[in-house]
Amino acid sequence: MAAACARTLGKVGWSFLESPAARRPGIVSYLVGNVGAHGSRRAYGTGGTGVRSKLLSSLRAGGGGGRALGCAFLLGGGLGLYQTLKFSVQQHLAEEETKAPGGGPKLTLYQYKTCPFCSKVRAFLDFYGLPYEIVEVNPVMRQEIKWSAYRKVPILMVDSDVQLNDSSVIISSLRSFLVNKEKSVSDIIRCYPEMKSVNDSGKQVTEYANKYWLMLSEDETAVVYPEKGMQKEEMKWRQWADDWLVHLISPNVYRTTNEALASFDYIVREGKFGTFEGFFAKYVGATAMFLISKRLKSRHNLQDDVRQDLYKAVNDWVAAIGKKRKFMGGEHPNLADLAVFGVLRVMEGLQAFDDMMENTKVKYWYRRMERATLNHEGRD
């Protein structure tokens, strides 16, 4: 709209300048002299009735006023075009900042910040230096994802038109895209079809085929996994993170009533809750999750002291990496490293996390992972 106004001002200005009356001499120098004599304040039309009356009488007396008016319109049009171009450039730069390096897709992550599955996706995006926007979803009303038939998080929107569901599918499809630039994300996602089934409780669940596989050619696979067994190992521990490690989080962070209150205080502080929702979540939710954690302990056959299961799981992970590797991926994290790190990270600031760091061998690997994601080391 600003550009259209600028063009109109320019056309009006040229019409004044090209009219016969506008070619008469004298008036322009008179008007400029008045502006100079009365100072900059009057140049903006605030100098009182004297200047306005002289300007109007000059316009009536001869066509020279038309020439001056034409100059004014041209000046206004030029300034308008300048502002329009400036705005367009700024808008373009702002849009570019939301895209991945090399003109990659625009990514929007719908999440709960304290959800381990969402944390996995953020760890992946951060490590590979992929710019993304976050939409924090209210876990009670979930209005932010009311447009989606899939009602869980994380959801990752690619360029506002391709929807990726399930944390492992999101990671596998994006990693495949980063390696194989010839296929679009929409092409790759077709390799992870939905599979609907009914679980033991009679509830319909949705799973995804191939979700731990990368969709690569043989040559690309050889580049990503240069050593025998690397791909199989990565897939095994990614699934382990989803099927076992993630189920140790709730029983540990809600282990006691005090830990449950501290956990929900963190959830409310970091999440998107209204005042009443936050109060309800902290006290009623903490009590409910303390009771539910006992059921989870029974469902997953955990020990009475659930910390011991967490310690064992973490030490098993560290032992699988071994003493000769910095990460399971070798010198650099692979997708299993990112998955395990993302799951464990949601406990930061809670007693369970402090106990884990003090009583297991995970500390040095964990700090290396922090640096790797913070510095976007996968970008290179």
Side-chain angles (χ1 to χ4, degrees):
M1 187 170 67
C5 291
R7 287 194 297 269
T8 301
L9 286 170
K11 290 179 180 178
V12 172
W14 281 116
S15 66
F16 273 112
L17 290 175
E18 291 174 355
S19 64
R23 296 189 180 96
R24 296 177 187 173
I27 283 295
V28 174
S29 59
Y30 171 78
L31 289 174
V32 172
N34 270 322
V35 170
H38 292 280
S40 61
R41 190 169 63 92
R42 292 186 178 182
Y44 290 92
T46 58
T49 58
V51 172
R52 287 196 295 272
S53 62
K54 287 182 180 180
L55 175 59
L56 290 172
S57 61
S58 299
L59 289 174
R60 295 191 189 100
R67 189 176 185 87
L69 195 57
C71 290
F73 273 112
L74 280 175
L75 179 61
L79 289 173
L81 283 172
Y82 166 75
Q83 291 297 332
T84 301
L85 289 171
K86 179 180 178 182
F87 174 78
S88 298
V89 170
Q90 289 174 340
Q91 187 177 39
H92 175 72
L93 291 175
E95 290 174 352
E96 287 299 313
E97 287 179 356
T98 65
K99 295 182 178 180
K106 178 182 177 182
L107 306 176
T108 304
L109 177 64
Y110 292 81
Q111 68 155 22
Y112 307 144
K113 184 174 181 180
T114 55
C115 164
F117 297 106
C118 298
S119 181
K120 281 170 50 184
V121 175
R122 291 198 311 273
F124 172 85
L125 296 173
D126 291 339
F127 176 70
Y128 284 102
L130 299 175
Y132 61 99
E133 297 177 358
I134 288 178
V135 176
E136 191 69 22
V137 177
N138 182 298
V140 180
M141 303 303 294
R142 293 186 291 180
Q143 288 295 309
E144 295 80 5
I145 55 172
K146 64 181 180 180
W147 47 268
S148 172
Y150 182 80
R151 301 296 291 166
K152 298 179 181 180
V153 292
I155 295 173
L156 187 76
M157 292 301 298
V158 182
D159 289 333
S160 303
D161 56 7
V162 178
Q163 180 176 342
L164 305 182
N165 305 325
D166 186 276
S167 62
S168 292
V169 173
I170 292 170
I171 290 169
S172 293
S173 57
L174 284 184
R175 181 62 177 136
S176 299
F177 172 75
L178 291 175
V179 177
N180 183 356
K181 295 296 182 62
E182 295 181 0
K183 291 184 178 180
S184 66
V185 176
S186 58
D187 290 332
I188 293 172
I189 195 62
R190 295 190 185 99
C191 299
Y192 305 97
E194 289 187 3
M195 301 184 300
K196 295 186 181 295
S197 61
V198 178
N199 63 15
D200 296 337
S201 302
K203 182 180 179 182
Q204 188 179 68
V205 294
T206 301
E207 192 50 85
Y208 295 85
N210 310 318
K211 68 180 184 178
Y212 299 111
W213 283 91
L214 301 188
M215 299 304 154
L216 306 174
S217 67
E218 289 186 10
D219 291 340
E220 290 165 343
T221 300
V223 172
V224 176
Y225 306 107
E227 297 180 17
K228 184 179 179 180
M230 289 183 68
Q231 183 179 27
K232 185 178 180 180
E233 183 184 47
E234 179 185 80
M235 293 172 61
K236 170 189 172 182
W237 288 97
R238 287 181 67 191
Q239 186 169 358
W240 174 83
D242 286 351
D243 292 347
W244 177 242
L245 182 63
V246 74
H247 296 300
L248 300 178
I249 303 301
S250 291
N252 273 277
V253 299
Y254 305 123
R255 185 181 62 153
T256 65
T257 53
N258 285 338
E259 286 183 276
L261 282 171
S263 297
F264 264 88
D265 183 63
Y266 169 68
I267 289 171
V268 170
R269 186 172 65 251
E270 297 295 334
K272 186 176 183 180
F273 290 89
T275 303
F276 175 76
E277 292 171 344
F279 178 85
F280 184 87
K282 181 175 179 179
Y283 293 100
V284 180
T287 302
M289 286 307 301
F290 170 71
L291 298 175
I292 290 173
S293 68
K294 305 305 178 186
R295 292 172 54 190
L296 293 174
K297 181 169 70 172
S298 175
R299 179 187 300 176
H300 299 294
N301 298 314
L302 304 182
Q303 302 178 50
D304 288 336
D305 183 2
V306 292
R307 282 288 198 274
Q308 300 305 315
D309 292 289
L310 177 62
Y311 298 159
K312 182 179 184 306
V314 171
N315 282 330
D316 286 346
W317 164 253
V318 175
I321 296 174
K323 297 181 178 180
K324 296 182 179 181
R325 295 187 292 184
K326 293 181 179 179
F327 307 98
M328 182 161 283
E331 288 297 310
H332 307 283
N334 65 9
L335 299 185
D337 288 291
L338 294 169
V340 174
F341 173 72
V343 170
L344 296 179
R345 183 171 58 174
V346 298
M347 297 190 296
E348 280 196 30
L350 302 176
Q351 186 63 46
F353 180 85
D354 295 339
D355 290 348
M356 178 190 72
M357 296 293 274
E358 183 177 348
N359 294 285
T360 71
K361 300 177 181 179
V362 77
K363 181 185 297 184
Y364 297 108
W365 169 85
Y366 190 90
R367 296 308 180 197
R368 287 194 291 268
M369 285 300 303
E370 277 186 322
R371 290 192 294 270
T373 53
L374 182 65
N375 296 328
H376 315 302
E377 291 180 8
R379 179 181 291 174
D380 298 331

